[in-house]
Amino acid sequence: MPTELTTPTLLLVGGARAIPLSSDMTVQALTQARRRGMRTHVTGEAASLAGTPEVRALADITSAVDFARPGNTAEWARDRVAAGDRFDAVFGIQEMAQVSVAETAEAVGAPGNPPEAIRRIRAKDACRAVLAAEGFPQPAVRLCADRAEAAAFLAETAGPWIVKPRDAMGSIGVSQVFEPARLPAAIELLPSDDPFLVEEFVDGPEYSVEGFFQNGKPTILAITAKEKVAPPFFVEVGHVLPAELDPAVRIEIEQQVGDALTALGLRFGGFHVELWLTPSGVVLGEVHGRFGGDWIHRMLAHAIPGLELFGAIYDDMLGRADTSGDLRPARGAAARYMIPPPGRLTAIEGWDEVRAHPAVLYADLTAKVGDRINPVHKSSDRVGVVVVGAETPAAARELASELVSSVRFVVES
């Protein structure tokens, strides 16, 4: 049997947020590491570690380390290695942990993306600048310090426009501006007074591309079709995987995404790339050096039987990757979020029947009787989700919609 000195060790940076999605992904990541005989050391903020006992139960070691402080995790890891520890693979689930993941991998000599590449994609305007310089169609964008700079950008470009934080997640502070008079209201929705982005609105159906790197090259697993709430907000309320696309369009999307990831300098881990299909072709959106949220990891596991999403990352980092298998979706999956009308919730009917449906891969209801239902302006305003698997994407989409529609929310305005 391998000894502790020869057993590869996974450092999982950032642990999990104390919410079901983050915890579920982290539990799967740790379980798949254990199946590969890896020891696991999980770091994260003390409160998050305390709030995720299921993660602590699976980890061999946990340490309270604040991954949000620049360089903090890398410095901690260097000290641990100097004291005799080893980290063969460094990984993270959370979006906000990705810079620390890259810095730490570099610090301990483990495989990883260059930190500057991760910082580049985290700053959305910097990512757009690189893609535009490489010849990829991109909307005009400007980093603005205040309302005056934003108003100047509106005066120079054709609307409508999008106002959003430079570095955030969950659709927080993202809104559409149809006319300059609405700009102040959009700025008020931003989560902080930090410089923010204003960019041209891209009109077209939205998709995302899911995959991971093998031997330094991107492997695309699936394209996901998205549905969002009506403007001026852009919260995702539905996903179907794989997207039902003309083969030529699918090939064009995959080619552009693969080329863009390479141009941005990424080479390890998972990725989630957003894009639009416009009359003039593919326009790439945000690029993420981690897997997509909204239960896409569960959808992929159903659509590609036998896939271990996180385990494939570890295999690549440890030089064990097998690139000969078929990683194309053989089935369909869909996720649908519940968005009842705003008001005070007085009753919920039909939920138990939905949870018991045999095709449900995951179901969660976060609202309870007596809660106040808010309009959906950000991801956390959604009150529940149903994720289903089926033989085809069309069947999965139809079933998810049917199940969500069968739940009745009684709301008093």
Side-chain angles (χ1 to χ4, degrees), residues 35 50 60 165 174 187 246 263 265 329 346 354 372:
R35 287 181 188 145
D60 291 301
V174 180
I187 293 174
D246 180 275
T346 61
V354 167
R372 189 80 188 175

Side-chain angles (χ1 to χ4, degrees), residues 364-382:
D364 185 36
L365 182 62
T366 57
K368 61 183 183 301
V369 171
D371 285 354
R372 189 80 188 175
I373 306 299
N374 297 316
V376 179
H377 294 173
K378 56 186 182 298
S379 296
S380 58
D381 292 326
R382 304 174 300 190

Side-chain angles (χ1 to χ4, degrees), residues 65 83 186 191 209 216 359 381 412:
V65 184
V209 177
D381 292 326
E412 289 182 350

Side-chain angles (χ1 to χ4, degrees), residues 73-305:
T73 304
E75 181 180 354
W76 170 88
R78 274 194 294 265
D79 290 343
R80 295 289 300 226
V81 169
D85 285 350
R86 57 181 287 179
F87 300 115
D88 302 276
V90 182
F91 187 63
I93 302 295
Q94 295 194 53
E95 172 80 11
M96 299 303 183
Q98 296 310 311
V99 171
S100 283
V101 169
E103 290 175 341
T104 304
E106 183 179 67
V108 302
N113 289 304
E116 62 272 17
I118 298 298
R119 294 189 191 100
R120 187 181 302 124
I121 64 173
R122 293 286 303 134
K124 300 176 180 67
D125 54 318
C127 184
R128 290 214 185 283
V130 172
L131 292 177
E134 292 290 334
F136 296 94
Q138 290 284 278
V141 60
R142 182 171 297 172
L143 180 65
C144 300
D146 53 32
R147 185 189 304 179
E149 291 187 5
F153 178 78
L154 266 59
E156 298 167 9
T157 54
W161 307 268
I162 303 297
V163 174
K164 61 184 179 181
R166 192 185 195 199
D167 181 6
M169 57 187 294
S171 300
I172 295 172
V174 180
S175 64
Q176 187 172 16
V177 174
F178 294 95
E179 57 184 2
R182 298 297 302 165
L183 178 61
I187 293 174
E188 285 296 319
L189 294 171
L190 292 166
S192 74
D193 294 329
D194 295 336
F196 57 93
L197 299 181
V198 185
E199 66 181 32
E200 292 178 320
F201 173 70
V202 180
D203 191 11
E206 290 194 41
Y207 299 85
S208 65
V209 177
E210 330 301 339
F212 49 61
F213 289 88
Q214 293 182 303
N215 298 323
K217 297 181 179 180
T219 295
I220 291 174
L221 299 173
I223 301 171
T224 305
K226 298 181 177 296
E227 181 180 341
K228 298 194 173 188
V229 298
F233 302 102
F234 297 90
V235 181
E236 294 169 352
V237 294
H239 305 273
V240 179
L241 181 158
E244 298 165 284
L245 293 166
D246 180 275
V249 174
R250 177 180 57 78
I251 290 170
E252 172 63 16
I253 289 173
E254 293 184 354
Q255 183 67 52
Q256 285 216 32
V257 168
D259 290 346
L261 291 166
T262 301
L264 289 165
L266 301 175
R267 55 179 185 247
F268 283 101
F271 56 82
H272 171 75
V273 180
E274 299 169 355
L275 60 93
W276 299 271
L277 278 183
T278 75
S280 57
V282 175
V283 177
L284 298 175
E286 295 182 8
V287 177
H288 302 277
R290 44 84 178 166
F291 293 124
D294 280 3
W295 304 95
I296 287 175
H297 69 292
R298 289 267 188 133
M299 296 166 64
L300 283 169
H302 173 83
I304 307 175

Side-chain angles (χ1 to χ4, degrees), residues 32-56:
Q32 291 172 24
R34 178 169 289 184
R35 287 181 188 145
R36 284 157 175 76
M38 303 177 77
R39 295 177 71 248
T40 55
H41 193 146
V42 177
T43 65
E45 296 169 332
S48 295
L49 291 173
T52 52
E54 65 279 17
V55 171
R56 298 199 315 274

